[in-house]
Amino acid sequence: MDTIQRTLVLFAHPRFENSRIHANLLNHISQLPGVRIHDLYEYYPEFNIDIKFEQELLLEHDIIIWMHPFYWYSAPPILKQWIDLVLEHGWAYGKNGNELKGKTIFNCISSGGPRESYQKDGFHNYTVNEFLRPFERTATLCQMNYLPPFFVHGSHKISDEELENLGKLYHDVIKKITQEIIILSEIQQYDYLNDWIVNR
Amino acid sequence: MAEDFLLSAIIFLGAAIVCVPIAKKIGLGSVLGYLIAGILIGPFVLGFVGQEGQDIMQAAEFGVVMMLFLIGLEINPKEIWVIRRSIFGIGSIQLALSSIVIGAIFHVYYGLSHATSFAIALSLSMSSTAIILQTLKEKGLNKSSAGQAAFSVLLFQDIMVIPILAFLPLLVTSDIRNDTLEQTFISNLSPLLKTITVLGAMASIIVVGLFIVAPLMKMIARTRLRELFTATALFLVISVAYVMKLVGISPALGTFLAGVVLANSSFRHELESDIEPFKGLLLGLFFIGVGSTINFQLIYQKPVLIFMLVLLIMLIKGIVLFLAGKTFKIKFDQNILFAILLSQVGEFAFVLLNFSGQLQIVSPDWTELLMVVVAISMTFTPILLLLNERLVDPFFGVKEAAEIKEADNIDNQHSVIIAGFGHFGSTIGRFLKANGIKATILDNDSDRVELLRKMGFEVYYGDATRVDLLKSAGAEKAKMLIAAIDSPDINHEVIEVARKHFPNLKIMARARNRFDAYEILDLGVMNIYRETLYTSVHMAVDVLHELGIRHYTATRKAQDFIRYDEDAMRKLASSRHDTKTYILTVREQIELEEKLLSEDLHQQMTERDSAWDSATLKG
């Protein structure tokens, strides 16, 4: 592929000033060509999302990332607000709603719990992928390709060194997806994008 | 003597206490109330006071002086520069035309000499600053085009009193002894020196005001003795008036200038609140004085002559004013108001007529007669204004209500009444309109009313404190009244009237500031919107954001702050009743501010915000 895929990071963190994980992850990707970080809480402190503007942004990008901490097995409220308002019927889905067709989308999430706790017999009883079904279905309904999440586990206890490694991994994931030809079905076999990038 | 003084005080104040509230209640305005009080206690009705009314009036004229000082305080030099054209334009047309026509009548019709007619004409061309400004303020018409034009003309007249006083002696033809004249410091100087002295006096007011008074005030304020500050304020006004009188300038003009000089000082509000009660009281006394000096015996003897003169003079002045207003493109309604407002003869006429009498330009008979004419014309003004408001305006000018259209049957239409459509009210109205809600608007600025009607708003024109106007605007059926009038006093009045007569109407009130909000709370209104709260906090959010604080965090903090501040307002509003006064003095305001700030400390607004904080999870 000769052109770089443009990437839109829909970033939602209500208390970003206290965040260590997301600050680090963003640092690693902000300089990548074609990446636009769109800070929703900074843009819409009163939650009044500009639908038209958001739709135009989506049209300008090929890869969308929902980047957020994992609160109560889901995303912070502004991201739900964004989904409710921006993904309009007749535009994103439904009859004639084909504007997002073929775009690629995934979540980038941080969570306090370790990976082991998100298992059938673990503390949370379900896997992360199962918890993300609503996002997956939303993407599919909009005819987008939904990839497994990039996931940071144990965020409270993570060491600086580990975090730095994760940041680099995140950077590699985006770089690869945007700059190389990828085979979707291959990626979709993995639970996390972390696993995919490490195994390659 | 002391007993006499006490007794007079009781009579004057008592009459005012009885008459003014009644006059206000039946919509006559305070000025007419005072005048009636004066007539009642005067020698011809109850006879409580005799000729001392005249003396009282002279002392009370000081109220006018104070009033101009206060007006000066509210105006800064730039604003005067802006209205310079109307001051000298309408002002000079009014004075020149009125005095020529009035003079001609006295000369031709009453056969008086040139000099006498001219002196009388100049005196009668003056209008009453006291009545007009008091009326404008009471009706909230200061900012209307009629109000602005009236102010310009009055200012011009004040300025012209100096040259007129200098000019009158030149009309003297007979030999009179110079010592009968009131001597001023500069009487014997040559015209050039006089001019220099006058200009010098004005310049010294500016210099002294800027470089001596302001620092002096600061020093006095530091002593924290309130009465000393009041004394200083009085000292300031009185000495300016005295110096001006000494050099032969109208004291009112001098204090006006002093007010303008101090308009930008940090003591403006303290000065205002200190002088205000004195002004009010003295003005009241002045009006009572005018009322009590009306010589009913003379009226009884020559009723036709006197009333003819009153009518003729007011008519001429009114027509001249109307034409002057027309050349300055004042709209019909406002122009009528302007013409009526200024059609009476003012307090300067007393001064000028007295002076002409001393100079023997005008005979004692005529002087006394004209004094009565002046007093009656002053009494007529409030009545004429009332007639204009009730009878003329509704038929000829901007209609109180626009032509009745097919009533909208949609439920939500006109269930909201907005009283006052200035910047505040109009923002609400526009927002409601944008959301398909048509509000009924009450406003007393005819220029604005016309414009609004053209834009398709339903507007009722007039004084929103009138029960009948509220009723015709649909207050009985409406759900909400939005009290958004600029002047807090009038706004309070509207709220009171509405609560009393339309108890089912929900009231949402605009409040100028925290203290205004306290008073509205006392009126029993729950929905209070302070002009200064939301905008300031909104701006503060942007300040925090510019400083690098996250937008959403700043917004959340702002919402918390507003909630906290409204709680604090309600709390402090009830604690304020410890002071047992209704209207807060500046000092009490500062004390409340102090309480508020210390409350802030207890609340620990900077307390750690635990929203989305993972510290406790990290354990």
Side-chain angles (χ1 to χ4, degrees):
Chain A
M1 200 183 293
D2 22 313
T3 52
I4 292 169
Q5 300 259 40
R6 284 155 306 174
T7 304
L8 177 64
V9 179
L10 294 169
F11 179 64
H13 197 313
R15 204 78 197 270
F16 182 50
E17 59 271 55
N18 289 14
S19 153
R20 188 167 68 107
I21 312 291
H22 286 273
N24 186 295
L25 292 182
L26 285 176
N27 269 341
H28 277 92
I29 62 160
S30 60
Q31 298 306 318
L32 277 170
V35 170
R36 170 162 183 165
I37 294 163
H38 185 36
D39 188 343
L40 293 177
Y41 273 105
E42 190 68 2
Y43 243 75
Y44 305 116
E46 293 175 343
F47 277 54
N48 192 14
I49 289 173
D50 183 344
I51 297 171
K52 194 129 197 122
F53 174 69
E54 292 298 318
Q55 289 179 342
E56 276 161 18
L57 271 186
L58 285 175
L59 293 178
E60 286 164 15
H61 294 84
D62 313 296
I63 292 160
I64 320 293
I65 304 175
W66 283 319
M67 183 171 174
H68 57 90
F70 209 36
Y71 290 151
W72 291 104
Y73 312 108
S74 186
I78 203 167
L79 193 57
K80 180 64 163 61
Q81 180 95 338
W82 181 94
I83 289 171
D84 289 357
L85 292 173
V86 180
L87 303 181
E88 283 182 317
H89 181 255
W91 186 84
Y93 72 102
K95 203 179 165 208
N96 300 326
N98 305 317
E99 298 291 340
L100 300 176
K101 189 173 180 178
K103 294 187 189 293
T104 299
I105 190 164
F106 64 91
N107 296 65
C108 168
I109 299 175
S110 65
S111 162
R115 190 164 182 172
E116 309 86 75
S117 64
Y118 288 95
Q119 302 298 336
K120 174 87 184 75
D121 297 313
F123 179 74
H124 296 293
N125 229 336
Y126 298 97
T127 65
V128 161
N129 304 77
E130 284 172 305
F131 283 121
L132 292 178
R133 283 287 138 77
F135 292 98
E136 185 188 333
R137 280 300 306 152
T138 302
T140 311
L141 206 61
C142 297
Q143 307 172 67
M144 292 190 280
N145 305 309
Y146 186 71
L147 302 187
F150 184 88
F151 215 102
V152 177
H153 277 293
S155 59
H156 306 323
K157 293 180 178 146
I158 209 161
S159 73
D160 290 347
E161 204 188 343
E162 284 173 303
L163 182 56
E164 194 58 27
N165 281 333
L166 275 164
K168 282 184 190 142
L169 219 54
Y170 190 41
H171 169 272
D172 291 347
V173 166
I174 291 178
K175 192 173 174 193
K176 205 164 203 71
I177 291 179
T178 54
Q179 297 178 13
E180 292 175 25
I181 294 171
I182 50 161
I183 300 148
L184 289 172
S185 55
E186 183 206 316
I187 302 177
Q188 279 161 341
Q189 286 168 2
Y190 292 92
D191 285 340
Y192 292 175
L193 284 175
N194 316 40
D195 302 342
W196 167 69
I197 199 74
V198 169
N199 284 333
R200 274 180 65 105
Chain B
M1 184 64 208
E3 251 168 58
D4 271 5
F5 168 73
L6 292 181
L7 192 62
S8 310
I10 289 173
I11 291 169
F12 274 83
L13 297 176
I17 291 168
V18 173
C19 295
V20 176
I22 295 176
K24 269 219 93 156
K25 196 103 220 164
I26 51 180
L28 297 177
S30 66
V31 174
L32 202 55
Y34 284 117
L35 288 168
I36 294 170
I39 294 174
L40 280 182
I41 62 171
F44 302 97
V45 182
L46 296 176
F48 285 148
V49 290
Q51 286 312 308
E52 65 262 41
Q54 197 97 50
D55 306 334
I56 297 266
M57 229 166 78
Q58 259 164 29
E61 245 173 61
F62 209 70
V64 182
V65 170
M66 285 178 164
M67 176 181 238
L68 271 145
F69 179 68
L70 291 177
I71 291 165
L73 276 180
E74 280 175 25
I75 293 182
N76 58 51
K78 273 186 212 131
E79 285 175 49
I80 294 201
W81 187 245
V82 172
I83 56 169
R84 67 188 186 282
R85 274 193 56 217
S86 66
I87 293 176
F88 291 99
I90 309 188
S92 58
I93 294 178
Q94 188 277 140
L95 198 60
L97 264 182
S98 303
S99 35
I100 288 169
V101 179
I102 294 175
I105 286 180
F106 276 93
H107 180 61
V108 176
Y109 195 74
Y110 293 102
L112 300 177
S113 73
H114 278 113
T116 310
S117 308
F118 199 50
I120 291 176
L122 282 175
S123 311
L124 298 185
S125 299
M126 296 289 167
S127 306
S128 170
T129 310
I131 288 186
I132 296 163
L133 293 184
Q134 182 79 5
T135 309
L136 283 176
K137 197 185 147 212
E138 229 164 76
K139 293 191 180 289
L141 292 169
N142 302 18
K143 300 268 179 255
S144 68
S145 50
Q148 297 269 326
F151 178 72
S152 305
V153 171
L154 291 171
L155 202 58
F156 182 76
Q157 291 179 353
D158 276 354
I159 294 169
M160 289 311 288
V161 167
I162 316 159
I164 290 176
L165 280 173
F167 172 75
L168 282 177
L170 302 181
L171 293 174
V172 177
T173 45
S174 61
D175 260 350
I176 53 158
R177 296 195 314 281
N178 223 7
D179 54 75
T180 57
L181 292 181
E182 218 180 301
Q183 287 289 328
T184 68
F185 173 64
I186 56 167
S187 307
N188 299 322
L189 299 178
S190 70
L192 180 69
L193 271 176
K194 263 186 198 169
T195 316
I196 291 174
T197 319
V198 168
L199 290 179
M202 294 198 147
S204 64
I205 287 183
I206 296 173
V207 173
V208 170
L210 286 178
F211 299 105
I212 299 183
V213 175
L216 180 76
M217 287 291 189
K218 201 172 263 176
M219 218 178 70
I220 300 289
R222 235 179 270 134
T223 64
R224 294 198 140 266
L225 290 170
R226 188 171 172 77
E227 59 282 3
L228 197 61
F229 197 88
T230 309
T232 315
L234 280 175
F235 175 82
L236 180 73
V237 175
I238 295 173
S239 39
V240 169
Y242 180 74
V243 171
M244 290 299 107
K245 234 182 153 143
L246 213 58
V247 299
I249 305 180
S250 128
L253 190 68
T255 47
F256 173 74
L257 191 61
V260 172
V261 171
L262 292 173
N264 288 329
S265 81
S266 48
F267 299 99
R268 192 183 122 189
H269 295 293
E270 273 93 341
L271 282 171
E272 256 170 7
S273 66
D274 274 356
I275 297 288
E276 180 78 42
F278 290 100
K279 175 215 88 176
L281 205 56
L282 285 173
L283 265 188
L285 276 182
F286 172 74
F287 294 131
I288 295 180
V290 171
S292 72
T293 50
I294 296 181
N295 188 338
F296 280 90
Q297 207 160 358
L298 209 59
I299 299 177
Y300 186 69
Q301 286 162 3
K302 303 177 182 167
V304 180
L305 176 63
I306 287 176
F307 281 101
M308 268 293 290
L309 276 175
V310 171
L311 286 181
L312 205 61
I313 288 163
M314 291 184 86
L315 201 65
I316 291 169
K317 291 185 77 169
I319 291 172
V320 167
L321 286 160
F322 189 82
L323 293 177
K326 211 160 177 162
T327 46
F328 275 79
K329 300 202 173 64
I330 302 178
K331 291 234 181 77
F332 182 80
D333 276 86
Q334 292 282 314
N335 206 2
I336 291 265
L337 182 66
F338 168 67
I340 293 179
L341 264 177
L342 290 156
S343 65
Q344 80 293 97
V345 185
E347 54 277 357
F348 278 129
F350 293 127
V351 179
L352 294 177
L353 284 171
N354 260 328
F355 189 54
S356 310
Q358 284 166 8
L359 290 169
Q360 296 177 10
I361 305 172
V362 182
S363 70
D365 285 352
W366 271 106
T367 307
E368 201 176 346
L369 191 83
L370 288 172
M371 292 281 195
V372 176
V373 169
V374 173
I376 294 178
S377 79
M378 283 168 131
T379 318
F380 273 9
T381 310
I383 301 174
L384 279 178
L385 283 170
L386 203 69
L387 290 177
N388 176 51
E389 196 180 302
R390 297 286 164 90
L391 299 177
V392 181
D393 249 11
F395 296 109
F396 298 103
V398 174
K399 300 271 189 298
E400 201 163 82
E403 259 84 297
I404 297 150
K405 284 171 274 173
E406 279 301 302
D408 292 310
N409 283 326
I410 308 159
D411 232 357
N412 261 339
Q413 300 303 353
H414 304 298
S415 55
V416 180
I417 300 172
I418 302 177
F421 214 63
H423 293 295
F424 194 96
S426 67
T427 309
I428 300 168
R430 282 172 45 222
F431 178 72
L432 292 182
K433 197 178 185 195
N435 289 283
I437 308 274
K438 276 192 198 155
T440 304
I441 296 159
L442 295 179
D443 201 277
N444 68 347
D445 181 332
S446 65
D447 285 346
R448 192 153 61 204
V449 167
E450 242 173 283
L451 175 83
L452 289 171
R453 285 195 183 145
K454 252 182 244 161
M455 307 291 290
F457 284 94
E458 176 167 351
V459 190
Y460 287 80
Y461 168 55
D463 177 0
T465 60
R466 277 169 43 201
V467 181
D468 59 322
L469 188 71
L470 280 169
K471 202 175 269 179
S472 51
E476 283 167 317
K477 284 188 204 142
K479 291 195 186 112
M480 263 174 283
L481 172 72
I482 295 169
I485 292 169
D486 273 323
S487 148
D489 291 340
I490 300 178
N491 216 30
H492 294 179
E493 221 173 303
V494 171
I495 294 169
E496 267 179 295
V497 168
R499 275 187 61 83
K500 191 169 156 214
H501 296 272
F502 311 102
N504 292 324
L505 197 59
K506 184 178 180 72
I507 294 172
M508 309 186 94
R510 160 195 188 176
R512 167 83 18 112
N513 53 35
R514 176 180 304 284
F515 305 118
D516 190 28
Y518 292 155
E519 287 176 24
I520 296 174
L521 263 179
D522 282 352
L523 296 175
V525 175
M526 296 315 288
N527 299 68
I528 297 174
Y529 303 87
R530 276 177 278 156
E531 286 169 32
T532 43
L533 177 60
Y534 309 97
T535 315
S536 323
V537 174
H538 208 96
M539 180 169 170
V541 167
D542 287 352
V543 171
L544 283 183
H545 189 223
E546 290 289 325
L547 290 173
I549 310 275
R550 295 276 297 168
H551 215 165
Y552 181 60
T553 303
T555 304
R556 275 199 310 120
K557 298 285 183 195
Q559 286 160 351
D560 288 348
F561 185 84
I562 287 175
R563 192 162 48 198
Y564 156 74
D565 193 70
E566 293 197 319
D567 286 349
M569 181 191 84
R570 281 166 214 280
K571 221 195 252 163
L572 284 178
S574 48
S575 83
R576 164 180 91 92
H577 287 298
D578 304 344
T579 59
K580 293 199 176 79
T581 49
Y582 184 65
I583 295 157
L584 293 166
T585 63
V586 176
R587 150 129 345 152
E588 280 161 353
Q589 290 186 357
I590 291 167
E591 275 167 12
L592 276 173
E593 196 79 351
E594 239 174 67
K595 247 188 211 172
L596 180 72
L597 292 175
S598 65
E599 189 94 350
D600 281 358
L601 290 179
H602 290 311
Q603 278 288 319
Q604 289 174 312
M605 290 294 289
T606 49
E607 195 180 15
R608 205 175 54 80
D609 178 3
S610 60
W612 297 293
D613 195 285
S614 52
T616 51
L617 292 170
K618 286 174 184 163

